[in-house]
């Protein structure tokens, strides 16, 4: 069964909410005044959520909470959260990385810098996204393959294949870490996801060194001064990429709130 915690938040993301407003307008022909209001509200919602500065501002409020590492501090293990891979299903010739694939590359770099002697790759496959196909590999297996391609020995990689969300990432990784006698980790995930992940891993009584990567914002993204008028105007126009980034930031804030209310952190 599809979890309501996945469905309900999706209904209040900007694009979904705008669509719901427009559907409501179509079903409320008896109230033309409400129709105009609903269409206007949907337009404003999409315009604001797709705005460059709104998207970058929301994302940076999460991404900049933990600074990027200047060097590779020593820990007992590197824990990499899934979400950056695409399986080698036809027509792909090999396992590939998605936009969040920087996680795997960065983990391999940290290992090669001597930051830790073991890598735990955490990520199971959500059943309702694969129609229950048990033959498909888990994201943790795909990450293991990619780390192998990057020169990381397979005997130092520990796949965690049971997790379906970030809370599961933390508790199932903790079980592996306990077996290895490890309580100090470098946590690798996308910068926008790091605040939520750190809370959950620290709640497992782990010493966490955040190692964020896959940034979607930079200092120049938020500058108002020094940009050309053409660039300024372009940033006022709603953009699909910015709409997606706003949605990702909202998802993270909702996740933080949910885990706080449920006492999981």
């Amino acid at each position: 069964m599809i979890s309501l915690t996945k469905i309900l938040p999706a209904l209040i993301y900007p694009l979904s909410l705008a669509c719901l407003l427009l559907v409501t307008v179509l079903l409320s022909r008896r109230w033309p005044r409400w129709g105009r209001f609903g269409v206007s509200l949907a337009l404003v919602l999409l315009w604001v959520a797709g705005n460059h500065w709104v998207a970058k501002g929301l994302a940076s409020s999460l991404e900049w909470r933990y600074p990027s590492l200047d060097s590779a501090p020593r820990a007992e293990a590197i824990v990499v959260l899934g979400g950056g891979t695409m399986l080698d299903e036809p027509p792909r010739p090999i396992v590939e990385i998605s936009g969040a694939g920087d996680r795997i590359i960065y983990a391999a770099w940290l290992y090669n810098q001597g930051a830790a002697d073991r890598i735990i790759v955490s990520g199971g496959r959500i059943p309702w996204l694969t129609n229950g196909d048990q033959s498909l590999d888990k994201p943790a297996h795909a990450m293991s393959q990619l780390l192998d391609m990057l020169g990381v020995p397979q005997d130092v990689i520990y796949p965690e294949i049971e997790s379906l969300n970030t809370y599961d990432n933390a508790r199932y990784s903790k079980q592996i870490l306990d077996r290895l006698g490890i309580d100090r980790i470098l946590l690798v995930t996308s910068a926008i996801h790091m605040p939520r992940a750190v809370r959950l891993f620290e709640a497992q009584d782990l010493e966490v060194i955040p190692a964020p990567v896959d940034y979607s914002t930079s200092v120049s993204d938020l500058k108002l001064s020094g940009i050309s008028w053409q660039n300024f105007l372009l940033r006022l126009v709603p953009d699909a990429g910015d709409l997606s980034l706003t949605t990702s930031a909202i998802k993270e804030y909702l996740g933080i709130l949910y885990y706080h209310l449920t006492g999981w952190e």
Side-chain angles (χ1 to χ4, degrees), residues 64-100:
W64 297 2
R65 291 192 190 184
Y66 297 100
S68 57
L69 300 177
D70 293 329
S71 57
R74 181 69 183 172
E76 296 169 285
I78 300 165
V79 178
V80 193
L81 303 191
T85 58
M86 295 180 290
L87 295 180
D88 52 345
E89 298 177 271
R92 300 189 192 108
I94 60 172
V95 171
E96 296 181 0
I97 60 174
S98 64

Side-chain angles (χ1 to χ4, degrees), residues 20-234:
L20 287 175
L21 283 168
L22 293 175
V23 169
T24 303
V25 168
L26 291 174
L27 297 176
S28 59
R29 295 179 180 178
R30 295 182 181 180
W31 299 280
R33 182 175 298 178
W34 157 247
R36 289 193 295 271
F37 174 76
V39 170
S40 299
L41 186 57
L43 178 61
V44 169
L45 180 62
L46 291 176
W47 197 289
V48 171
N51 179 269
H52 172 90
W53 285 288
V54 171
K56 297 297 185 180
L58 281 173
S60 64
S61 69
L62 291 162
E63 292 185 340
W64 297 2
R65 291 192 190 184
Y66 297 100
S68 57
L69 300 177
D70 293 329
S71 57
R74 181 69 183 172
E76 296 169 285
I78 300 165
V79 178
V80 193
L81 303 191
T85 58
M86 295 180 290
L87 295 180
D88 52 345
E89 298 177 271
R92 300 189 192 108
I94 60 172
V95 171
E96 296 181 0
I97 60 174
S98 64
D102 301 347
R103 303 177 187 187
I104 297 103
I105 297 172
Y106 192 43
W109 181 84
L110 287 170
Y111 174 81
N112 289 325
Q113 293 296 309
D117 297 327
R118 300 178 178 91
I119 300 180
I120 295 171
V121 288
S122 178
R125 182 154 298 282
I126 300 175
W128 56 84
L129 294 182
T130 58
N131 295 319
D133 189 345
Q134 299 299 318
S135 66
L136 295 177
D137 281 342
K138 306 294 192 296
H141 293 149
M143 289 191 286
S144 297
Q145 292 180 49
L146 287 166
L147 287 171
D148 180 56
M149 294 178 194
L150 294 169
V152 178
Q154 284 293 297
D155 60 355
V156 306
I157 302 173
Y158 297 79
E160 181 285 296
I161 62 172
E162 302 298 327
S163 56
L164 301 180
N165 52 43
T166 310
Y167 173 68
D168 285 350
N169 288 145
R171 67 191 184 102
Y172 288 129
S173 294
K174 169 67 171 174
Q175 293 176 6
I176 297 174
L177 292 166
D178 284 346
R179 291 199 298 269
L180 296 172
I182 291 173
D183 58 14
R184 176 181 167 87
I185 63 168
L186 274 161
L187 182 60
V188 178
T189 189
S190 299
I192 198 170
H193 183 233
M194 186 61 78
R196 180 157 56 115
V198 167
R199 288 172 180 238
L200 292 170
F201 274 81
E202 287 182 340
Q204 298 292 326
D205 295 323
L206 293 168
E207 182 182 350
V208 179
I209 303 172
V213 72
D214 183 32
Y215 284 85
S216 59
T217 59
S218 64
V219 174
S220 62
D221 287 327
L222 297 175
K223 282 186 177 181
L224 285 172
S225 59
I227 64 174
S228 66
W229 65 268
Q230 296 97 329
N231 195 5
F232 178 82
L233 290 178
L234 283 174

